[in-house]
């Protein structure tokens, strides 16, 4: 027992001489730069939807005259109705060209003034913000913040014409423009030629009691035709060889050609067609073909009396 105690005591000085060494600092971890993966297509880094322009190098244009429906300038208004909101078209906010837009919760009392523009052939058939394909001959429009779908009355402050359109797309993102109209709506409002106009837009509610009549201004045309029926072009086996036609007018804007064609048809003129020059820069309204010069002259005289400056052309 004593031996064990002495042995333990003998070890104490040795233990007292042992120094406690400091622990080495842990190695500094290497910082490896990690590249943040890009956000999914159509999304910003914050996760909000992002709008981009389709095919930026291709310029938009009007439809070919032969593709424009009859009487497109008098396309009926869109009729406001109760519809579910588009799932794809109504994020709380989205980004377009570096700017964030907040979608409105409702349209009650919404009014706005500014420049309107239109979009056409380049976007035909492409998916809109609502998920529907764009139809430039329907009464629709694009707006930056109105819910999709919603309805607005657009008034051209330069000529007084109005149109009711259904909002189903986002845009325009050009500075100073508040609404992008379909081609049909632009034709109805008379802004196809200029490309833009000063407008006022007012939101409409489904089943709203609208006391304001929708003005439907018909483009000014030639005087009414005489009471006698318009002579019809004479067709037959000799027509291909003869190739006799009457030209009524030539227009740089296809909508003017369509308006003239539709006016002639309403006045009973048969054989009215639109021909486009190479490149589609000139749209000629012609009547024919006629089997003889005499047939063409009779129709030319009738058209002249009706106020149309028709003259003979040959293929």
């Amino acid at each position: 027992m004593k031996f064990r105690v002495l042995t333990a005591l003998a070890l104490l000085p040795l233990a007292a001489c042992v120094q406690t060494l400091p622990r080495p600092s842990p190695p500094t971890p290497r910082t490896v730069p990690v590249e943040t993966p890009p956000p999914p297509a159509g999304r910003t880094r914050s996760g909000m939807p992002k709008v981009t322009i389709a095919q930026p190098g291709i310029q938009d244009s009007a439809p070919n005259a032969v593709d424009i429906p009859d009487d497109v300038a008098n396309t009926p208004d869109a009729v406001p109705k109760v519809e579910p909101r588009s799932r794809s078209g109504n994020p709380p906010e989205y980004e377009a060209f570096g700017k964030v837009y907040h979608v409105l919760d409702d349209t009650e009392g919404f009014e706005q003034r500014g420049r309107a523009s239109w979009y056409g052939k380049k976007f035909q058939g492409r998916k809109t913000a609502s998920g529907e394909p764009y139809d430039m001959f329907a009464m629709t429009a694009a707006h930056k913040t109105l819910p999709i779908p919603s309805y607005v009355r657009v008034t051209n402050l330069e000529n007084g014409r109005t149109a009711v359109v259904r909002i189903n797309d986002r845009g325009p993102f050009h500075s100073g423009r508040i609404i992008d109209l379909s081609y049909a709506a632009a034709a109805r409002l008379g802004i196809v030629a200029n490309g833009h106009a000063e407008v006022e837009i007012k939101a409409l509610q489904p089943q709203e009691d609208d006391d304001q009549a929708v003005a439907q201004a018909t483009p000014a045309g030639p005087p009414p035709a005489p009471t006698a029926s318009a002579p019809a072009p004479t067709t037959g086996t000799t027509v291909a060889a003869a190739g006799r036609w009457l030209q009524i007018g030539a227009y740089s804007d296809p909508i003017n050609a369509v308006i003239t064609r539709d006016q002639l048809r309403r006045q009973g003129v048969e054989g009215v067609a639109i021909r486009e020059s190479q490149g589609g820069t000139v749209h000629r309204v012609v009547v024919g073909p006629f089997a003889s010069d005499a047939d063409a002259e009779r129709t030319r005289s009738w058209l002249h009396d009706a106020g149309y400056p028709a003259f003979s052309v040959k293929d």
Side-chain angles (χ1 to χ4, degrees):
M1 185 67 178
K2 291 181 179 179
F3 175 77
R4 291 179 181 175
V5 171
L6 291 173
T7 303
L9 292 173
L11 293 175
L12 287 175
L14 179 62
C17 295
V18 175
Q19 296 181 0
T20 303
L21 299 177
R23 290 185 178 182
S25 301
T28 303
R30 291 180 60 196
T31 303
V32 179
V34 178
E35 183 177 353
T36 304
R43 295 270 171 176
T44 62
R45 296 192 187 279
S46 62
M48 73 176 66
K50 185 175 183 179
V51 175
T52 58
I53 189 168
Q55 298 179 302
I58 299 178
Q59 188 174 2
D60 197 8
S61 63
N64 297 328
V66 294
D67 296 328
I68 299 175
D70 293 350
D71 215 15
V72 68
N74 292 319
T75 302
D77 286 328
V79 178
K81 60 182 178 180
V82 177
E83 296 182 80
R85 285 199 173 190
S86 164
R87 294 182 62 182
S88 62
N90 294 286
E93 56 185 15
Y94 66 93
E95 180 186 331
F97 306 100
K99 185 175 180 179
V100 175
Y101 297 90
H102 301 272
V103 177
L104 298 176
D105 292 330
D106 60 65
T107 64
E108 190 69 35
F110 181 87
E111 296 183 9
Q112 190 178 21
R113 286 194 176 198
R115 304 295 290 179
S117 51
W118 61 271
Y119 60 132
K121 187 176 179 180
K122 172 182 174 179
F123 300 93
Q124 180 71 355
R126 291 184 176 275
K127 187 179 292 187
T128 62
S130 67
E132 305 161 341
Y134 174 58
D135 181 359
M136 59 182 164
F137 300 125
M139 294 294 280
T140 61
H143 192 273
K144 292 186 279 287
T145 59
L146 284 171
I148 292 177
S150 56
Y151 296 83
V152 297
R153 182 192 302 109
V154 186
T155 302
N156 185 342
L157 298 176
E158 298 172 7
N159 60 20
R161 298 186 190 178
T162 68
V164 176
V165 297
R166 179 175 177 264
I167 304 297
N168 71 342
D169 205 1
R170 290 293 172 220
F173 300 107
H174 298 283
S175 176
R177 300 184 188 179
I178 63 172
I179 193 168
D180 234 354
L181 301 162
S182 68
Y183 185 83
R188 174 77 178 265
L189 291 168
I191 69 173
V192 167
N194 290 335
H196 53 84
E198 192 74 14
V199 300
E200 178 184 68
I201 62 178
K202 292 185 178 181
L204 300 177
Q205 308 305 319
Q207 301 175 347
E208 180 182 78
D209 183 13
D210 183 13
D211 294 330
Q212 179 179 349
V214 176
Q216 182 171 323
T218 302
T227 54
S229 300
T234 304
T235 59
T237 56
T238 62
V239 168
R244 297 173 177 86
W245 295 80
L246 296 175
Q247 180 169 311
I248 311 303
Y251 308 92
S252 58
D253 184 356
I255 193 63
N256 290 333
V258 171
I259 290 171
T260 301
R261 179 197 65 187
D262 294 344
Q263 288 175 337
L264 287 165
R265 287 178 176 176
R266 284 196 296 268
Q267 293 177 359
V269 180
E270 299 179 5
V272 187
I274 296 176
R275 290 183 175 180
E276 295 186 1
S277 66
Q278 291 185 351
T281 56
V282 178
H283 311 273
R284 297 187 297 131
V285 180
V286 296
V287 178
F290 299 91
S292 67
D293 289 338
D295 291 335
E297 178 57 27
R298 279 196 299 271
T299 302
R300 190 204 66 79
S301 178
W302 184 92
L303 288 167
H304 185 269
D305 291 341
Y308 295 96
F311 60 91
S312 298
V313 292
K314 292 187 179 181
D315 289 339

